[in-house]
Amino acid sequence: MGSTETQTFGRSSYAGFRSTIKAVGTGPRGSRALSFEEAREAMRAVLEGEVSDAQAGAFMVAMRTKGEEAEELAGLARGLRDAALSREPVAPGPGGGAGDTGALVACAGAYDGVAGSPQLSLATAAVAAAAGAPCVVHCGDRLGPKHGTTPADVLAALGGPRRPSLARSREMLRRSGVALVHAGEAIPGWDRLARIRDEVGLRGPLHSAEKLVDHLGAERFVVGYAHQTYGPRLLGALRCLGAGPSLAVRGIEGSDVPRPARPQASGAAPLELPQRLDLRLEPGATAERSAELTRAILGGEEQGAAAIAVTLGAMLRLRAAGACDSVEAGMAAAQDAIASGAAATTLRRLLDAAA
């Protein structure tokens, strides 16, 4: 996009990407929402390096100030999908269980990770896959504003690669029913974009749009959010994108794992989830502590708040995958996957494939 500005009788004519910044950054009276195609084109231009770092940063801040609508969020996600190298479908292998598998579910929480709580996304995906819901977990390198622990950090602490290649991610899914996809490997331009976001520091629409990429052919989603208004927005964007049955989870620090005391999730309708107001997660957000908890939960040795959160999260993935027909059935299937050793087997297969 060009950056030429012409003057006409004292008024500025904004060309190229500056017109996009003007559309969203003129303040509460002058700003407007982008159309789906405008948002898609803006994302393409940023990823392909057609705009400067300063313009990309200005766009992020302007969108953060204005607030994105579901159609804009869908357009940004479509732009990320257009660029992604990771969308070719992969047939998931069975988890550690022997039953049939449901549809593949793409799972993501806030890419800036968790800073005060254990990172349980990988553990949750392994339990879900063992119970019949294959999962692709996606994230990137540590990212602001939290710079918290990511699922990739946990995979590394378990002995796998922190940044698996796409070939390795596909092999994980084939052999274990679980894959971890790193956005920097999957989406050209993402690393530059992440650097700019880190410099800006604020969360913005990309923190939501990146959760909606259909890696490895997933058409169903379980996505986490922190602030109440984002649940309907994420689900609205997924409807615009033609996604299958999906759920939005108000998770632990914006992750895709429910809070054990007051879990909240919704899809086509809110879900009634069991509450345990007596449960509190112990602090411990390091990758090493999260890896220890992952092994302990999947081995049946840990049965406290973290284990309950993982069981709830696995049930939600089973629901999204079409592998259970009720909350109670999904909880029972997740618990059985742990008790039978199937979840621990899934983790071993995942780590073998990741090596």
Side-chain angles (χ1 to χ4, degrees):
M1 290 186 177
S3 58
T4 302
E5 178 183 314
T6 58
Q7 297 287 336
T8 307
F9 300 109
R11 296 179 64 85
S12 297
S13 174
Y14 291 83
F17 198 75
R18 283 190 288 183
S19 65
T20 302
I21 297 172
K22 180 179 184 294
V24 298
T26 321
R29 295 178 63 184
S31 297
R32 65 171 177 83
L34 299 177
S35 70
F36 178 93
E37 288 299 335
E38 286 175 324
R40 180 183 188 177
E41 171 61 15
M43 189 74 262
R44 183 203 63 77
V46 170
L47 286 174
E48 293 186 5
E50 292 185 3
V51 306
S52 68
D53 288 5
Q55 288 176 314
F59 176 68
M60 292 179 205
V61 172
M63 287 291 290
R64 163 65 185 256
T65 302
K66 181 185 74 65
E68 71 275 22
E69 297 182 5
E71 186 177 6
E72 288 175 293
L73 185 54
L76 293 171
R78 180 73 252 185
L80 290 169
R81 291 182 177 195
D82 291 342
L85 306 174
S86 55
R87 300 180 64 209
E88 182 180 351
V90 174
D100 295 335
T101 59
L104 178 63
V105 181
C107 308
Y111 267 38
D112 59 357
V114 293
S117 306
Q119 170 55 261
L120 300 173
S121 295
L122 203 60
T124 302
V127 173
C135 296
V136 52
V137 179
H138 55 103
C139 63
D141 293 331
R142 290 199 174 197
L143 184 68
K146 288 206 299 280
H147 294 102
T149 299
T150 71
D153 294 328
V154 178
L155 180 63
L158 288 165
R162 179 171 277 104
R163 184 171 171 138
S165 67
L166 279 181
R168 188 57 56 197
S169 296
R170 293 184 180 106
E171 188 65 14
M172 291 181 209
L173 188 59
R174 290 189 190 101
R175 291 172 58 181
S176 72
V178 182
L180 186 137
V181 170
H182 190 290
E185 295 291 313
I187 304 174
W190 190 90
D191 286 329
R192 170 181 175 259
L193 187 53
R195 174 182 58 77
I196 297 169
R197 290 161 60 184
D198 242 1
E199 291 174 358
V200 170
L202 296 171
R203 290 186 180 87
L206 299 178
H207 284 74
S208 296
E210 63 202 358
K211 302 173 191 177
L212 310 182
V213 179
D214 49 350
H215 296 294
L216 305 187
E219 296 180 348
R220 303 181 183 206
F221 297 81
V222 170
V223 293
Y225 65 93
H227 303 292
Q228 194 70 55
T229 56
Y230 271 86
R233 205 173 303 177
L234 287 163
L235 292 171
L238 285 169
R239 284 193 294 271
C240 287
L241 292 164
S246 299
L247 295 170
V249 183
R250 195 175 187 191
I252 300 164
E253 296 189 43
S255 78
D256 53 356
V257 180
R259 297 173 293 180
R262 296 179 182 272
Q264 296 181 43
S266 59
L271 286 174
E272 292 293 330
L273 302 178
Q275 294 190 356
R276 290 283 303 276
L277 301 182
D278 57 314
L279 293 178
R280 294 291 182 273
L281 280 171
E282 294 293 328
T286 67
E288 292 73 22
R289 175 56 182 152
S290 298
E292 290 173 5
L293 264 177
T294 294
R295 291 191 186 278
I297 292 168
L298 271 56
E301 300 155 16
E302 166 63 42
Q303 299 180 355
I308 296 298
V310 165
T311 303
L312 283 164
M315 176 273 297
L316 294 176
R317 286 147 179 76
L318 289 162
R319 291 276 291 180
C324 71
D325 56 10
S326 69
V327 169
E328 294 76 17
M331 293 287 287
Q335 291 162 351
D336 287 347
I338 294 172
S340 68
T345 298
T346 297
L347 180 63
R348 285 196 297 272
R349 291 179 179 174
L350 169 66
L351 296 177
D352 287 346

